[in-house]
Amino acid sequence: MRFHFSPKTPLFALSSSSITSLCLRPFLPSAPKSPFYPSLACHASTGGNLRMDSTSPDPSSSSSVSVDSVADGLKNQSLREHDISNNNNMNNENKKNNGKLSLEDLNWDHSFVRELPGDPRSDSIPRQVFHACYTKVLPSAEVENPKLVAWSDSVADLLDLDPKEFERPDFPLKFSGASLLAGAVPYAQCYGGHQFGTWAGQLGDGRAITLGEIMNSKLERWELQLKGAGKTPYSRFADGLAVLRSSIREYLCSEAMHFLGIPTTRALCLVTTGKFVTRDMFYDGNPKDEPGAVVCRVSQSFLRFGSFQIHASRGGEDLGIVRSLADYAIRHHFPHIENMSKSESLSFSTGDNDQSVVDLTSNKYAAWTVEIAERTASLVARWQGVGFTHGVLNTDNMSILGLTIDYGPFGFLDAFDPSYTPNVTDLPGRRYCFANQPDIGLWNIAQFASTLMTANLISDQEANYAMERYGAKFMDDYQAILSQKVGLQKYNKQLVNKLLSNLAVDKVDYTNFFRALSNIKADPSIPGDELLVPLKAVLLDIGKERKEAWTSWVQSYIQELVASGISDEERKASMNSVNPKYVLRNYLCQSAIDAAEMGDFEEVRRLLKVMERPYDEQPRMEKYARLPPAWAYRPGVCMLSCSS
């Protein structure tokens, strides 16, 4: 599997076919055939830089109340002056007894603002922000009797936060941004990105405000971020707010993905603001007022590919920021790379005609790029395994930690359709459809590698090697996942290819099929007319010809099961541990949203509890594993826009 990274040739030459063609498209002649391989956007090897039109910063003065002054005031505030002083003795006792902390006792650190260049201004006027990684800005969303909708005890545990803190009467005020947490130093991050394959220039946190980093008792670093907390300099023409509809989806899916075992940002809590926000959900000229909300997102870092791209695109002195940002990321999030030594002998031949060698121990940035490529490949393979489609895989939505980030118009496959996209704005070309995700991940890695080349951090050979590792890692992980899903110890390409083809032809429910497959017995003596009985509930409305196709596949499958020598009971347990019974289908989200918009949040909480145990049978919860009802196919349920 070879890649050649040069501005003079097409970006990718993945042998004779793309990654997607290796795992999905050959089985599906109706799938889109546009793998989206545009030329390199930033010709690093020739010294060129991305150009974009931008205006000079507005020279107006900073806001009258600075972030620093507010933060310092809160930090030095006496606990006796706090509104909930009556609870302090209890909180202090909890801290002593179980190691859990009150909000006032959280161990804040602010390495991002301490170690990286910031915007000298702290107002939220939309503008181009130059030579800076962030702008300090205060949350500004208007609230009126905010309410706590949902919360995660497991995320609180990551922060060493006492779950009793959720009961505080001022908790919704603090996590709507109306009352700043003591010790927080809020800021919005500056980044750019490619959107639908086109460089979009400066983007940034337009409605997300990071409060800072919490260091827990394990010395893990966790950033707290309020999404929907108000305008920032990166809001452009938007209001910086979020609606309850999209906030519920982000909150539920980030937690559901975690419990599926897929790397993701987390969500501590969701609060309503008590105010309405106007949104044109389908961009069709019919806006409506929706309840406002704020999600507290939690991640070890919110750095994205676009965090580096914006500075490389501007060239000049900003190329130094790319290096500083890379050093920061390696120091805090990839410390093992900082500590590599020559003795580890991480040298690899690139396979080029000149037999070039990439020595990862001689260039930490190359080793870092390779690890990001591999983490990204592994993440995408896991998405494909559970049938998850992100919907907006722009480079500003790609985490350097290999996390699922920025939940917008996502969707899990119902009927298996590789061309499925949950994003109505992606319909014309289906760039971000399910089948294209592996290719898009590679495309995004190439843009990231190009950025580092522009900053002279890696060579073209090192960039090529990172992309090669993406391809190899994806195929290794994807094949391992598919083998586990069908209960085999070794990947059987022919068997899996035929299975995926059958699933696509008959539009079989992806999640329910693999769960039902574990009921097949490794018994070659089963009569032919009984082979499909275990799959009866998922093979719906298929005719005689298709029954014969499925019977033939099951016969081949049983032969493989017999050869594996694994007992039916052991295989079933193993398959059910990787094939979820419950995934966050869009219609389930919509049912919870409909109830929440009427003031009933119980379905949100109930759905969260179900998604916390996706691989368990959960008696009496079977309705959450049902196929979508007819109403689920109306616009706004299975197809969504980015308006949120």
Side-chain angles (χ1 to χ4, degrees), residues 52-92:
M52 60 182 185
D53 295 330
S54 58
T55 57
S56 299
D58 188 330
S60 61
S61 61
S62 300
S63 56
S64 57
V65 181
S66 73
V67 176
D68 288 335
S69 65
V70 172
D72 288 343
L74 285 167
K75 193 183 306 180
N76 297 326
Q77 190 175 28
S78 168
L79 290 178
R80 289 189 299 273
E81 297 172 352
H82 198 273
D83 292 338
I84 60 162
S85 58
N86 291 335
N87 292 332
N88 284 338
N89 290 335
M90 179 185 69
N91 287 335
N92 289 334

Side-chain angles (χ1 to χ4, degrees), residues 261-333:
I262 297 174
T264 178
T265 58
R266 302 292 303 276
L268 175 65
C269 61
L270 166 63
V271 301
T272 57
T273 63
K275 293 287 189 177
F276 284 91
V277 177
T278 303
R279 285 289 181 270
D280 184 352
M281 181 176 176
F282 298 108
Y283 305 114
D284 60 359
N286 295 299
K288 71 171 187 176
D289 288 341
E290 300 185 50
V294 176
V295 175
C296 180
R297 305 198 297 185
V298 177
S299 178
Q300 291 190 304
S301 175
F302 286 99
L303 282 171
R304 307 123 187 283
F305 292 5
S307 304
F308 300 81
Q309 285 183 290
I310 185 62
H311 305 298
S313 74
R314 289 169 170 170
E317 64 182 274
D318 283 9
L319 294 180
I321 298 179
V322 178
R323 181 181 293 270
S324 296
L325 200 53
D327 288 340
Y328 170 85
I330 292 170
R331 182 164 57 251
H332 290 291
H333 303 293

Side-chain angles (χ1 to χ4, degrees), residues 236-522:
R236 291 171 285 175
F237 302 106
D239 56 18
L241 306 176
V243 298
L244 182 61
R245 163 178 50 86
S246 63
S247 300
I248 287 175
R249 286 173 54 81
E250 170 134 17
Y251 176 81
L252 287 176
C253 200
S254 59
E255 290 304 283
M257 292 288 273
H258 168 73
F259 288 103
L260 283 168
I262 297 174
T264 178
T265 58
R266 302 292 303 276
L268 175 65
C269 61
L270 166 63
V271 301
T272 57
T273 63
K275 293 287 189 177
F276 284 91
V277 177
T278 303
R279 285 289 181 270
D280 184 352
M281 181 176 176
F282 298 108
Y283 305 114
D284 60 359
N286 295 299
K288 71 171 187 176
D289 288 341
E290 300 185 50
V294 176
V295 175
C296 180
R297 305 198 297 185
V298 177
S299 178
Q300 291 190 304
S301 175
F302 286 99
L303 282 171
R304 307 123 187 283
F305 292 5
S307 304
F308 300 81
Q309 285 183 290
I310 185 62
H311 305 298
S313 74
R314 289 169 170 170
E317 64 182 274
D318 283 9
L319 294 180
I321 298 179
V322 178
R323 181 181 293 270
S324 296
L325 200 53
D327 288 340
Y328 170 85
I330 292 170
R331 182 164 57 251
H332 290 291
H333 303 293
F334 300 81
H336 54 284
I337 289 178
E338 193 87 78
N339 299 327
M340 277 195 318
S341 67
K342 284 281 187 178
S343 62
E344 297 183 50
S345 300
L346 296 177
S347 299
F348 304 93
S349 171
T350 63
D352 291 332
N353 292 333
D354 60 358
Q355 292 298 304
S356 299
V357 172
V358 172
D359 181 4
L360 298 183
T361 60
S362 66
N363 183 0
K364 68 177 181 180
Y365 303 113
W368 178 59
T369 308
V370 167
E371 181 162 339
I372 291 173
E374 291 188 344
R375 288 193 187 194
T376 303
S378 182
L379 175 68
V380 177
R382 294 188 190 195
W383 289 348
Q384 304 303 105
V386 297
F388 175 79
T389 308
H390 184 282
V392 200
L393 285 180
N394 299 327
T395 56
D396 56 297
N397 294 335
M398 298 293 293
S399 162
I400 66 165
L401 298 184
L403 306 175
T404 315
I405 190 172
D406 291 336
Y407 292 92
F410 65 83
F412 286 86
L413 291 174
D414 293 316
F416 183 65
D417 177 8
S419 67
Y420 166 70
T421 177
N423 186 353
V424 68
T425 57
D426 189 35
L427 279 177
R430 297 183 185 266
R431 174 184 176 87
Y432 295 144
C433 73
F434 177 73
N436 278 349
Q437 289 185 135
D439 283 341
I440 294 299
L442 178 58
W443 194 92
N444 289 340
I445 285 293
Q447 307 313 310
F448 181 68
S450 169
T451 294
L452 302 185
M453 288 171 62
T454 301
N456 295 317
L457 299 184
I458 64 174
S459 67
D460 58 350
Q461 289 90 353
E462 291 164 339
N464 284 332
Y465 183 70
M467 290 188 291
E468 180 175 331
R469 286 306 308 155
Y470 174 97
K473 180 64 172 174
F474 174 81
M475 290 309 302
D476 286 347
D477 284 16
Y478 180 75
Q479 291 178 0
I481 288 169
L482 263 293
S483 297
Q484 292 169 351
K485 288 182 76 67
V486 298
L488 298 178
Q489 294 177 311
K490 185 178 179 181
Y491 183 68
N492 184 320
K493 181 179 179 181
Q494 183 176 358
L495 188 77
V496 170
N497 285 2
K498 188 60 178 176
L499 170 60
L500 294 177
S501 178
N502 284 342
L503 290 174
V505 169
D506 294 310
K507 305 297 182 186
V508 180
D509 186 85
Y510 189 79
T511 300
N512 289 355
F513 173 82
F514 282 104
R515 191 74 177 189
L517 188 63
S518 66
N519 295 320
I520 297 286
K521 305 297 184 184

Side-chain angles (χ1 to χ4, degrees), residues 244 589-604:
L244 182 61
C589 271
Q590 191 60 48
S591 296
I593 291 167
D594 290 344
E597 289 182 338
M598 299 297 293
D600 180 2
F601 304 124
E602 283 307 309
E603 185 61 17
V604 173

Side-chain angles (χ1 to χ4, degrees), residues 4-81:
H4 184 61
F5 197 79
S6 169
K8 297 180 181 179
T9 60
L11 184 57
F12 306 119
L14 182 56
S15 186
S16 61
S17 57
S18 68
I19 289 177
T20 299
S21 69
L22 290 174
C23 49
L24 286 175
R25 199 168 281 127
F27 326 130
L28 311 167
S30 62
K33 298 181 179 180
S34 50
F36 303 101
Y37 295 159
S39 299
L40 198 60
C42 184
H43 300 317
S45 61
T46 58
N49 297 316
L50 286 170
R51 301 297 180 191
M52 60 182 185
D53 295 330
S54 58
T55 57
S56 299
D58 188 330
S60 61
S61 61
S62 300
S63 56
S64 57
V65 181
S66 73
V67 176
D68 288 335
S69 65
V70 172
D72 288 343
L74 285 167
K75 193 183 306 180
N76 297 326
Q77 190 175 28
S78 168
L79 290 178
R80 289 189 299 273
E81 297 172 352

